[in-house]
């Protein structure tokens, strides 16, 4: 089977991030970029499926021209080839614009399955998987904690607040995965060396036949109007035990859906 | 790698390996290793994960399940592991540099095919039995005998401090033994491959060690331990020459490991001095603390340059004996000094096993002893200078 995995380069979550005061977007130049952690689970799931059923994994990434670490990491883990979409006009793309560009890239590829992380650690909208499925006219199976492929059918465990739903669809389909799904492998030295020789197709908007006005700042429907520093965390609730401490605690946990 | 002397950045593939091992050590080793250390338990799941990552196959070709890397790549991995923990680093060092490397370098095609594939995957471990109860630095003073009886070698004697010799996954112990003596009583030394579990081989209970508490170290006793004739490793009588080469390389590996420990001390202290206050200030604001950490950083950096230079010479096929000795001497003494200062900065917490710097302090001392004491390194350096 042919699997496409979408990966995004994000600022290192461990680094001190700041917003660019002019654009109110994350200042990506100020911190190291790396592959979005959740996307490593998507790559791992694709590699495991291909190891089981045969096929190939193509990794697709979109970002500034120096945001190459994310797809390189996926190639080092074992993906077969990469497509990298980069164009200055893509800067500022919101989830809607991003999904348009990515859908266009997917239109140039053959695939049975598209896998991506269920959210990126920078913006955390979790919108792209659903938007992309809609644009491609494919079934969306989001928040998957388990994926099984049987012939032309796919079945996933879709994580919910209380457990999981079992969802089935016909291929091709779009699947977003959560961290529970597997343990991503670390690249081996052989994988690192092999990745240097793997094909990377570089695309820009002109090559893709996409109008610059439909993506980037120009094509985005959402705008960040203002940003303020998050207030410090509020004080916790103190439960004084006057014989009813136990039930108070359980009531609190239940209200937060922990029990 | 010789270009490394002109271009101080690592080639991209080594830097990517370094990042991968750094992430592995931070995510998989750091959270759990303290508990293994406390219990003096061997961290099997970590070693298995290191195996899956290909670390045990780094310097070996893919025909034996290796990674097609080199000794430099191995040393990069050792340094990054030792930044977090030395027990897992020495398990890798001994497994590859002492366990597998002699088989790869001196073994027949059959021996290599039979032993190396599992070893490269980290599914099995190999050990090298050189040191004896009565001979540490005097490594040539081997008393263990391997007699040629019929179609077998019959081994009698004992070995001390043998890393990786008693794990559940140990498959092989290469033993240095006297296979003959000439008329003047001079020993002919050879290496013999002894599979784990061979009758007549007793693996003694693990030592109670000051440091490296999550690594596997045992004494071995051979009592009429019989292995087939074809288990001779390489040429008969070449044992001494083989182990000299093995130890020269091993010194670079220990230097890389010691550099990692020294760097780990810097990492821990940089974090701590920004959190800890005394007399109304973060302790990082005090120059007494700053100077200690500046010295630690300088030692780690110099140690790194020294091992990378020696490893660069090794890869280029140039003589590296003196440079390896200098790297081993400098890095191990740097590690010891930095561990002492790191523990000092942490105060009482530095004396607690649950803090990494407490472990670093306990793990540093052996670096000045194992694979050639600091005195032996000075001897080798002095000898290279033709002083007499």
């Amino acid at each position: 089977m042919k699997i496409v995995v979408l990966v995004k380069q994000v600022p290192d979550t461990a680094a001190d991030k700041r917003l660019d005061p002019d654009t109110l977007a994350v200042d990506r130049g100020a911190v190291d970029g790396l592959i979005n952690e959740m996307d490593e689970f998507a790559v791992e799931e694709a590699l495991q499926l291909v190891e089981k059923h045969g096929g190939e994994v193509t990794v697709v990434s979109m970002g500034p021209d120096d945001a190459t670490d994310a797809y390189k990491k996926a190639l080092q883990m074992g993906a077969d080839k990469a497509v990298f979409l980069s164009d200055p006009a893509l800067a500022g793309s919101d989830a809607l614009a991003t999904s348009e560009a990515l859908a266009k890239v997917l239109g140039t590829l053959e695939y049975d399955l598209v896998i991506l992380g269920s959210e990126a650690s920078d913006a955390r909208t979790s919108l792209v998987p659903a938007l992309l499925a809609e644009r491609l006219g494919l079934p969306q199976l989001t928040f998957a904690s388990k994926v099984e492929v049987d012939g032309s059918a796919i079945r996933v465990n879709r994580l919910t607040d209380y457990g999981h739903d079992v969802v089935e669809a016909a291929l091709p389909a779009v699947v977003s995965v959560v961290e529970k799904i597997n343990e991503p492998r670390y690249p081996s030295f052989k994988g690192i060396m092999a990745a240097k020789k793997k094909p990377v197709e570089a695309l820009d908007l002109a090559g893709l036949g996409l109008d610059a006005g439909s993506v980037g700042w120009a094509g985005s429907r959402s705008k960040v109007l203002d940003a303020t520093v998050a207030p410090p965390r509020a004080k916790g609730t103190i439960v004084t035990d006057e014989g009813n401490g136990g039930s108070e605690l359980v009531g609190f946990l239940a209200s937060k859906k922990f029990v | 790698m010789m270009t490394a002397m002109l271009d101080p950045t690592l080639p991209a593939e080594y830097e990517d390996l370094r990042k991968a091992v750094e992430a592995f050590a931070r995510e998989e080793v750091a959270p759990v290793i303290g508990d293994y250390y406390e219990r003096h338990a061997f961290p099997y799941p970590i070693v298995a994960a290191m195996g899956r990552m290909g670390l045990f196959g780094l310097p070996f070709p893919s025909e034996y399940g290796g990674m097609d890397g080199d000794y430099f790549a191995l040393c990069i991995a050792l340094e990054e592991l030792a930044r977090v923990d030395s027990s897992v680093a020495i398990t890798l060092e001994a497994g590859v540099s002492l366990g597998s490397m002699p088989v790869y370098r001196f073994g027949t095609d059959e021996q290599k095919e039979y032993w190396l594939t599992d070893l490269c995957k980290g599914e099995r471990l190999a050990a090298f039995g050189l040191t004896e109860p009565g001979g540490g630095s005097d490594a040539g003073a081997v008393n263990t005998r391997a007699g040629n009886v019929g179609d077998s070698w019959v081994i009698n004697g004992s070995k001390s401090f043998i890393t990786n010799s008693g794990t559940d996954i140990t498959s092989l112990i290469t033993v240095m033994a006297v296979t003959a003596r000439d008329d003047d009583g001079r020993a002919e030394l050879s290496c013999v491959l002894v599979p784990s579990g061979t009758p007549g081989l007793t693996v003694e209970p693990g030592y109670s060690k000051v440091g490296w508490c999550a690594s596997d170290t045992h004494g071995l006793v051979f009592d009429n331990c019989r292995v087939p004739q074809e288990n001779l490793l390489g040429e008969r009588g070449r044992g001494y020459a083989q182990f000299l080469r093995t130890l020269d390389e091993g010194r670079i590996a220990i230097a890389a490991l010691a550099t990692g420990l020294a760097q780990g001390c810097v990492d821990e202290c940089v974090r701590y001095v920004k959190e800890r206050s005394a007399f109304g200030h973060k302790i990082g604001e005090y120059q007494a603390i700053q100077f200690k950490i500046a010295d630690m950083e300088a030692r780690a950096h110099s140690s790194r340059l020294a091992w990378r230079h020696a490893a660069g010479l090794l890869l280029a096929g140039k003589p590296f004996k003196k440079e390896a000795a200098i790297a081993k001497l400098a890095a191990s003494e740097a590690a010891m000094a930095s561990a002492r200062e790191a523990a000092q900065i942490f105060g009482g917490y530095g004396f607690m096993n649950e803090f990494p710097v407490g472990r670093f302090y306990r793990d540093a001392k052996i670096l000045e002893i194992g694979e050639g004491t600091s005195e032996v390194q000075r001897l080798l350096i002095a000898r290279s200078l033709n002083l007499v």
Side-chain angles (χ1 to χ4, degrees):
Chain A
M1 63 190 309
K2 291 187 168 158
I3 305 179
V4 172
V5 181
L6 302 178
V7 301
K8 181 181 186 184
Q9 182 147 325
V10 295
D12 187 347
T13 47
D16 293 331
K17 290 186 282 286
R18 62 179 202 92
L19 295 179
D20 182 325
D22 296 330
T23 63
L24 296 179
V26 175
D27 185 354
R28 290 174 195 277
V31 287
D32 282 347
L34 43 77
I35 187 171
N36 174 45
E37 193 181 349
M38 198 85 83
D39 298 348
E40 291 188 33
F41 295 82
V43 174
E44 177 65 34
E45 197 58 25
L47 294 173
Q48 288 187 15
L49 284 170
V50 160
E51 280 160 9
K52 197 165 165 194
H53 301 286
E56 63 169 20
V57 177
T58 304
V59 55
V60 170
S61 191
M62 164 181 145
D65 60 359
D66 59 350
T68 57
D69 287 356
Y71 74 75
K72 270 187 193 155
K73 177 82 179 276
L75 293 175
Q76 291 173 350
M77 288 170 74
D80 299 283
K81 54 188 182 177
V83 177
F84 181 47
L85 172 64
S86 184
D87 195 297
L90 284 165
S93 296
D94 65 359
L96 201 64
T98 299
S99 68
E100 168 141 11
L102 290 174
K104 194 88 177 167
V105 175
L106 281 161
T108 70
L109 301 170
E110 273 181 49
Y111 55 87
D112 305 299
L113 181 59
V114 178
I115 308 183
L116 62 173
S118 54
E119 67 176 33
S121 64
D122 51 0
R124 304 190 67 171
T125 66
S126 286
L127 287 172
V128 171
L131 292 167
L132 191 62
E134 199 60 26
R135 288 190 188 278
L136 296 171
L138 296 178
Q140 51 162 307
L141 301 92
T142 48
F143 302 101
S145 60
K146 184 179 173 191
V147 173
E148 285 171 305
V149 171
D150 183 8
S152 61
I154 180 165
R155 176 197 291 248
V156 313
N157 289 0
R158 183 179 196 276
L159 199 66
T160 68
D161 284 348
Y162 299 100
H164 64 258
D165 300 331
V166 178
V167 188
E168 209 174 71
L171 293 176
V174 175
V175 172
S176 77
V177 301
V178 297
E179 284 149 322
K180 266 190 167 172
I181 196 165
N182 56 40
E183 269 188 53
R185 66 197 66 188
Y186 292 88
S188 70
F189 193 65
K190 203 152 79 177
I192 289 167
M193 297 299 282
K196 299 205 297 185
K197 299 188 195 104
K198 289 178 177 170
V200 178
E201 186 190 351
L203 284 176
D204 59 12
L205 290 181
L208 202 56
L210 192 61
D211 174 23
S214 62
V215 294
W217 300 111
S220 290
R221 307 279 186 90
S222 59
K223 301 265 182 266
V224 179
L225 301 177
D226 195 12
T228 48
V229 176
R233 187 178 296 207
K235 258 192 185 164
T237 310
I238 294 171
V239 177
T240 312
D241 186 9
E242 288 161 355
N244 60 343
S247 50
E248 290 265 330
L249 277 176
V250 171
F252 171 79
L253 290 172
S255 74
K256 302 282 180 192
K257 294 182 179 171
F258 287 125
V259 292
Chain B
M1 278 318 304
M2 287 319 290
T3 54
M5 287 293 99
L6 302 173
D7 176 3
T9 57
L10 274 183
E13 60 270 28
Y14 292 104
E15 177 58 19
D16 286 347
L17 173 71
R18 193 196 65 71
K19 279 189 194 154
V21 181
E22 180 186 33
F24 174 83
R26 186 180 61 235
E27 292 159 9
E28 311 292 330
V29 181
V32 296
I33 194 62
D35 181 51
Y36 287 104
Y37 199 93
E38 284 279 290
R39 293 186 287 118
H40 289 240
F42 189 76
Y44 288 102
I46 296 178
V47 171
M50 287 159 64
R52 286 195 295 277
M53 208 181 156
L55 299 187
F56 286 91
L58 271 176
F60 304 113
S62 41
E63 61 175 309
Y64 301 116
M67 289 288 122
D68 291 326
D70 51 38
Y71 211 80
F72 201 97
L74 172 67
C75 290
I76 291 276
L78 289 171
E79 183 185 327
E80 288 303 323
L81 286 174
R83 267 175 85 175
V84 167
D85 177 68
S86 288
S87 292
V88 295
I90 195 60
T91 299
L92 176 63
E93 195 277 337
V96 174
S97 181
L98 301 178
S100 303
M101 192 56 92
V103 178
Y104 172 63
R105 185 159 289 130
F106 307 113
T108 62
D109 288 347
E110 291 77 20
Q111 286 169 339
K112 285 193 259 194
E113 251 162 57
Y114 185 79
W115 292 110
L116 284 180
T117 312
D118 293 346
L119 295 174
C120 282
K121 288 188 207 148
E123 288 170 358
R124 308 305 298 263
L125 284 173
F128 189 72
L130 167 65
T131 300
E132 301 198 353
S137 291
D138 189 4
V142 171
N143 287 314
T144 297
R145 303 175 312 283
N148 200 347
V149 181
D151 57 358
S152 302
W153 296 103
V154 178
I155 307 169
N156 281 287
S158 54
K159 296 287 176 184
S160 300
F161 314 132
I162 309 306
T163 304
N164 290 347
S165 62
T167 72
D168 296 346
I169 56 170
T170 301
S171 60
L172 169 70
I173 303 165
T174 302
V175 177
M176 173 91 68
V178 179
T179 41
R181 286 192 189 275
D182 66 14
D183 295 342
D184 301 328
R186 267 196 301 269
E188 173 200 84
L189 292 175
S190 308
C191 290
V192 182
L193 304 172
V194 179
S196 286
T198 303
L201 162 63
T202 303
V203 178
E204 295 183 324
Y207 294 100
S208 171
K209 291 174 290 187
V210 167
W212 286 1
C213 293
S215 81
D216 179 82
T217 322
H218 300 267
L220 306 174
V221 177
F222 299 88
D223 180 14
N224 285 319
C225 177
R226 189 180 283 262
V227 298
Q229 192 81 200
E230 61 265 25
N231 280 27
L232 184 72
L233 179 64
E235 240 178 281
R236 180 171 173 168
R238 294 286 297 161
Y240 197 74
Q242 289 168 6
F243 100 78
L244 284 182
R245 168 80 192 197
T246 302
L247 284 193
D248 279 343
E249 290 176 354
R251 286 186 182 117
I252 305 175
I254 295 291
L257 197 157
T259 302
L261 192 152
Q263 186 64 51
C265 291
V266 178
D267 299 342
E268 290 297 322
C269 287
V270 166
R271 230 189 333 263
Y272 186 68
V273 302
K274 288 192 268 199
E275 293 167 3
R276 168 80 184 189
S277 297
F279 307 106
H281 295 273
K282 298 287 185 227
I283 62 173
E285 295 174 31
Y286 296 113
Q287 225 170 31
I289 298 290
Q290 292 176 359
F291 282 10
K292 278 188 202 298
I293 298 176
D295 283 341
M296 286 160 60
E297 174 72 4
R299 281 191 289 262
H301 181 76
S302 317
S303 302
R304 183 172 303 115
L305 295 183
W307 83 247
R308 284 189 183 178
H309 180 230
L313 292 173
L314 164 69
L315 289 204
K318 305 224 158 122
F320 62 94
K321 197 184 209 24
K322 179 181 79 173
E323 289 77 7
I326 290 173
K328 196 321 187 148
L329 174 67
S332 60
E333 297 199 338
M336 187 72 226
S338 291
R340 189 178 59 236
E341 293 290 53
Q344 192 69 19
I345 288 171
F346 272 68
Y349 297 111
F351 200 55
M352 298 296 121
N353 280 327
E354 63 187 279
F355 282 80
V357 293
R359 279 191 281 120
F360 291 161
Y361 183 70
R362 293 173 62 180
D363 291 339
K365 183 61 212 168
I366 186 61
L367 297 168
E368 295 180 323
I369 299 171
E371 300 210 27
T373 59
S374 289
E375 291 70 26
V376 164
Q377 310 309 331
R378 290 189 168 90
L379 206 70
L380 293 169
I381 298 163
R383 202 176 283 162
S384 75
L385 297 173
N386 296 317
L387 301 175
V388 286

